[in-house]
Amino acid sequence: MKELVLNGTKQTPSVNFNAVSGMLELSGRSIPENSFEFYNPLIEWLNEYTTVALDLTKIKVYLEYFNTSSSKYILEVLKKLKEINEIAGKEVSVEWCYDEGDDEMMETGEDYEDVTGLQFTYTEMEE
Amino acid sequence: MARINKEKKEDIYLDEAFFLTRSTQFLQEEDKSVSETKAELKTLVTNYAELLDQVKLITRISDRLQRKLDQTNDELNNMNQQIQEKNIQLEKTINDLTEAKIGRRATTFVFVFALALFLISEALIEPWIERFYNNFLISLSIKGLIALSIKPVESLVERSLLKKERARTLKTSEIRG
């Protein structure tokens, strides 16, 4: 399965989804003009990954800022991972990173954790 | 164009729209069994629960982001105000410095002017007075007049140089702007 690599821009986050290592990364700013266009390939990649998922999949989310429509798609990404966890019985861990002192972003991670039921670890990144 | 943009924005609710259409169509069909109706209702409830989760989460996140934006806006406003205050202070300092510089230049000019007048008075006017009037009072008055003219001339020169300097600064800032 091909890895999914997208370079970040001022409006979109960088993406590095690697099926071989089971490491997924999403970082930067997410305010795309068309969130569907940006996130749909990620969801499709995850649909395919579900069938070949490793025993442990790690996702690192380090977002500085995201808009409302992105928040919906981030939830979809995490729910896809929850499916891998629940249906395929594979372990999934989420590392939620946030800038030093950005309590709002940490609380946002907690909200995602509540809704998805996935195991989150929180990392405060030094500036 | 506006319609295309609207459709693009609504793309994020594609799944939800699909299930709504499906359930609406289901309602319009009359020959459905109880088990089919239950299955459809179950799908609808599942999707409704999913949507409710999303709405709760998105609302919380949006409120938090709004708060964050407000805080950032407040910080920016405060910084803006501080920059404006510093700007005023800087402008005042620059004005003071310019005035001092111009003042020094004007004093030098007036000193040279007074010296020239004194020399002219000693070399040309004094002998002329001695020759035609031979009056000490007239000679003293002329010297007094020279001395009294120093301050007004200095002010005049200072004002003129300052005006010139301000016009030059304005021109420079217009070119930069």
Side-chain angles (χ1 to χ4, degrees), chain B residues 22-23 26-27 29-44:
Chain B
R22 204 182 93 162
S23 296
F26 184 87
L27 269 179
E29 294 165 12
E30 287 177 359
D31 54 339
K32 295 291 177 190
S33 66
V34 174
S35 61
E36 280 176 320
T37 310
K38 258 192 160 179
E40 186 58 34
L41 186 63
K42 195 180 168 191
T43 309
L44 196 63

Side-chain angles (χ1 to χ4, degrees), chain B residues 1 24 30 42 49-50 97 125:
Chain B
M1 188 68 186
T24 310
E30 287 177 359
K42 195 180 168 191
E50 169 82 15
L97 281 172
I125 303 171

Side-chain angles (χ1 to χ4, degrees), chain A residues 34-37 64-66 68-69 71-73 75-76 79 102 104-105 107-108 111-112 115, chain B residues 8-9 11-16 50 53-54 57-58 60-62 64-65 67-69 71:
Chain A
N34 187 339
S35 296
F36 173 78
E37 227 169 61
E64 175 199 339
Y65 180 81
F66 51 85
T68 308
S69 56
S71 65
K72 182 184 188 292
Y73 282 108
L75 180 64
E76 277 199 32
K79 285 210 165 172
D102 192 353
E104 285 90 357
M105 196 50 91
E107 286 168 19
T108 300
D111 284 338
Y112 277 117
V115 173
Chain B
K8 271 187 179 175
K9 279 179 187 168
D11 276 343
I12 69 163
Y13 295 108
L14 217 59
D15 288 347
E16 290 79 2
E50 169 82 15
D53 269 356
Q54 282 183 20
L57 181 80
I58 289 171
R60 279 207 297 261
I61 292 172
S62 290
R64 200 173 291 127
L65 286 176
R67 206 166 55 231
K68 199 174 166 183
L69 277 177
Q71 279 170 1

Side-chain angles (χ1 to χ4, degrees), chain A residues 2-110:
Chain A
K2 262 190 168 181
E3 60 181 331
L4 178 68
V5 179
L6 300 172
N7 289 324
T9 67
K10 275 184 182 175
Q11 293 188 316
T12 57
S14 64
V15 177
N16 194 345
F17 284 6
N18 191 321
V20 179
S21 63
M23 292 287 294
L24 320 180
E25 259 189 65
L26 185 67
S27 62
R29 187 183 291 191
S30 181
I31 46 170
E33 263 183 47
N34 187 339
S35 296
F36 173 78
E37 227 169 61
F38 180 79
Y39 280 98
N40 201 43
L42 275 68
I43 305 291
E44 280 174 2
W45 190 94
L46 285 167
N47 281 334
E48 202 186 329
Y49 178 70
T50 311
T51 58
V52 294
L54 300 180
D55 288 340
L56 172 64
T57 301
K58 282 184 177 176
I59 182 166
K60 182 179 175 182
V61 184
Y62 181 21
L63 291 168
E64 175 199 339
Y65 180 81
F66 51 85
N67 60 10
T68 308
S69 56
S70 295
S71 65
K72 182 184 188 292
Y73 282 108
I74 293 164
L75 180 64
E76 277 199 32
V77 166
L78 294 172
K79 285 210 165 172
K80 284 282 162 210
L81 292 169
K82 183 68 184 171
E83 275 177 35
I84 293 170
N85 176 239
E86 277 186 339
I87 301 167
K90 308 284 170 75
E91 197 182 334
V92 174
S93 77
V94 183
E95 186 185 2
W96 187 267
C97 305
Y98 57 94
D99 284 333
E100 198 176 3
D102 192 353
D103 296 338
E104 285 90 357
M105 196 50 91
M106 195 203 71
E107 286 168 19
T108 300
E110 287 172 346

